[in-house]
Amino acid sequence: MNTADLGLPVDVPSTALFTDQYELTMLQAALAAGTADRRSVFEVFTRRLPEGRRYGVVAGTGRVLDAVENFRFDADVLAFLGERGIVDEPTLEWLSSYRFGGDVWGYPEGEVYFPGSPILRVEGSFAECVLLETVILSILNHDSAIAAAASRMASAAGDRPLIEMGARRTHELAAVAASRAAYVGGFATTSDLAAGFRYGIPTVGTSAHAFTLLHDTERDAFQAQVDSLGRGTTLLVDTYDVAEAVRTAVEVAGTELGAVRIDSGDLLLVAHRVREQLDELGARDTKIVVTSDLDEYAIASLAAAPVDAYGVGTQLVTGSGHPTCSMVYKLVARAESADPTAPLVPVAKKSSGGKTSIGGRKWAARRLDEHAVAEAEVIGTGPVPAELADQQLLVELIKDGQVLARESLDVVRDRHAAARTRLPLSAAQLSRGEPVLPTEYV
């Protein structure tokens, strides 16, 4: 089954209502004023990274492409808008045939970004572009925040695999998106079956404390699980006494026991003790999985521990303290008339409080040093310097309303891993600091 054909897992007829009312009232006013058809350029960017982050991760692009394709105003949606008096009849008529017919360029999903990076560029008439603001920001802000947290955790984990297990800590639909973003950021598997079904992410899971408590003894629980799932299963050993559970686990499953999971206590100390005990019992190949409210700092603190994998939930799906990237969607250029040949004029908001922006359609490139390590994010509005021509970052995603750049998640995940290796080593530091690359405007 091609799960991309399933449509979006939402309880509304389309993505058209994933928007703020003022997008539609702006449309109505622009239609009445005769400015709705002016060619326009909107860009998605963030003015700053979350405090302490050294880089951002672009995630959710594939979901944005789906959302744009599914942005339709059917009869039920139009009836809702009309009954509420949200827009007038001419606007409803215009919306009834809405299809995005413009162009979208953006950083490839999985790429890293920095303050000012033109992560996404949407071009078309003002009317067709302005409607997409909220749904685009909703997806990119959420998914990129999760992917950035996942990337930091993956960096801290090194070669040890990470399991995403945060579905019970967030909205049921956000959980699926979070699992996807975590996979982009470097996680290996998920416990969420909806994410596995929709996106093909490998799924894992065996048992919780409830299964042990169901049985009269821990041995009975272990025996039932091994009988059902085989000796290669993972047994949860911290329901009662860890040392006794490890001994029982090996007695039941033998030295072929796949893994034990530790979900509480001083994980560093307990992991060392469990490893020593497993080795003494001959279960030298049995792995140790740790869970228990981990974040990137806890994972880094366990680097010297005999741990084989980490399971992460709450801190991952909440962006490890930064659940949004503060991305914005701003008009940066527009034509002076509806004439398709009218030249674009740069426009920008000017205000106090750090909310200014830079007008003009942007290009972006990443300058590399002599060792092919990134040294600056270069952004401009004029001609691209010859030395940066082959380092440009934006790629064409949609042309004349047609999606051009759908990719598998594995391609996106590999891209992120490669992008991270091209950053300076300090990008992996968890200590607070500035973005690892400066942003230069030319």
Side-chain angles (χ1 to χ4, degrees):
M1 174 185 292
N2 181 3
T3 55
D5 295 334
L6 292 174
L8 297 174
V10 297
D11 293 326
V12 296
S14 75
T15 55
L17 291 184
F18 289 159
T19 192
D20 292 305
Q21 180 167 316
Y22 78 169
E23 314 292 6
L24 299 186
T25 53
M26 282 192 288
L27 169 65
Q28 175 177 307
L31 288 171
T35 52
D37 290 332
R38 289 186 175 187
R39 191 160 54 104
S40 300
V41 180
F42 287 82
E43 289 177 352
V44 175
F45 62 94
T46 185
R47 296 181 175 94
R48 65 191 65 83
L49 297 180
E51 184 179 358
R53 295 288 164 89
R54 314 306 299 276
Y55 59 91
V57 180
V58 178
T61 307
R63 297 207 308 120
V64 166
L65 300 180
D66 290 341
V68 172
E69 278 196 332
N70 284 276
F71 207 93
R72 303 284 187 269
F73 293 85
D74 63 17
D76 289 340
V77 171
L78 292 170
F80 164 77
L81 297 175
E83 290 166 3
R84 294 289 183 93
I86 293 171
V87 290
D88 59 19
E89 285 298 326
T91 305
L92 290 174
E93 180 64 26
W94 189 93
L95 290 172
S96 68
S97 59
Y98 177 84
R99 299 291 187 273
F100 179 73
D103 303 335
V104 178
W105 291 70
Y107 279 37
E109 188 166 16
E111 185 56 84
V112 297
Y113 70 87
F114 298 90
S117 296
I119 297 162
L120 202 72
R121 190 174 74 215
V122 182
E123 303 188 29
S125 70
F126 176 84
E128 63 183 335
C129 294
V130 74
L131 295 181
L132 300 176
E133 175 180 7
T134 302
V135 70
I136 286 175
L137 289 180
S138 177
I139 293 171
L140 292 180
N141 268 312
H142 174 270
D143 289 23
S144 297
I146 306 305
S151 179
R152 283 161 61 87
M153 293 173 187
S155 181
D159 294 332
R160 298 171 178 177
L162 290 156
I163 307 163
E164 185 280 311
M165 47 196 305
R168 63 191 60 194
R169 297 290 187 258
T170 188
H171 185 280
E172 67 272 17
L173 297 182
V176 181
S179 181
R180 182 187 184 281
Y183 192 68
V184 170
F187 274 58
T189 55
T190 179
S191 66
D192 189 73
L193 290 177
F197 177 73
R198 180 162 182 76
Y199 296 117
I201 301 168
T203 59
V204 295
T206 51
S207 68
H209 292 103
F211 186 77
T212 301
L213 296 170
L214 168 69
H215 293 80
D216 295 335
T217 69
E218 196 167 44
R219 179 180 294 274
D220 290 344
F222 288 173
Q223 189 65 62
Q225 184 174 328
V226 170
D227 289 346
S228 177
L229 301 178
R231 296 177 185 274
T233 192
T234 299
L235 295 176
L236 181 58
V237 295
D238 71 331
T239 305
Y240 305 118
D241 179 84
V242 173
E244 180 62 29
V246 171
R247 182 162 43 252
T248 302
V250 176
E251 289 175 357
V252 170
T255 56
E256 298 88 1
L257 175 61
V260 296
R261 179 162 73 95
I262 307 166
D263 189 50
S264 60
D266 183 336
L267 297 179
L268 179 61
L269 176 62
V270 175
H272 277 287
R273 288 178 175 173
V274 168
R275 181 74 270 160
E276 182 178 1
Q277 185 180 10
L278 287 170
D279 291 347
E280 289 174 351
L281 294 170
R284 296 183 177 276
D285 293 330
T286 299
K287 299 184 183 302
I288 297 175
V289 180
V290 296
T291 52
S292 187
D293 207 26
L294 299 176
D295 62 10
E296 59 266 49
Y297 301 101
I299 291 169
S301 74
L302 292 167
V307 171
D308 298 287
Y310 307 93
V312 189
T314 302
Q315 293 301 319
L316 174 67
V317 299
T318 57
S320 194
H322 297 291
T324 182
C325 302
S326 299
M327 293 178 186
V328 295
Y329 183 94
K330 296 298 181 183
L331 180 66
V332 297
R334 51 87 175 169
E336 292 184 337
S337 72
D339 184 344
T341 65
L344 290 172
V345 178
V347 294
K349 174 181 178 179
K350 298 186 183 300
S351 69
S352 59
K355 285 194 170 184
T356 57
S357 56
I358 298 174
R361 179 200 278 134
K362 317 289 190 309
W363 54 262
R366 191 160 297 145
R367 191 172 67 240
L368 308 179
D369 66 15
E370 65 272 20
H371 304 292
V373 175
E375 64 177 12
E377 192 87 338
V378 185
I379 299 170
T381 57
V384 180
E387 66 273 16
L388 295 176
D390 61 350
Q391 302 298 332
Q392 293 188 74
L393 292 163
L394 278 77
V395 298
E396 195 168 24
L397 302 173
I398 296 176
K399 176 67 174 176
D400 297 329
Q402 300 299 310
V403 174
L404 304 178
R406 279 205 170 85
E407 299 176 304
S408 75
L409 270 187
D410 286 326
V411 168
V412 173
R413 188 170 184 266
D414 290 345
R415 176 183 293 123
H416 176 63
R420 203 168 60 200
T421 64
R422 291 190 291 268
L423 294 177
L425 291 176
S426 57
Q429 292 178 348
L430 297 181
S431 57
R432 295 191 181 279
E434 298 299 315
V436 72
L437 296 186
T439 301
E440 300 178 0
Y441 292 95
V442 297

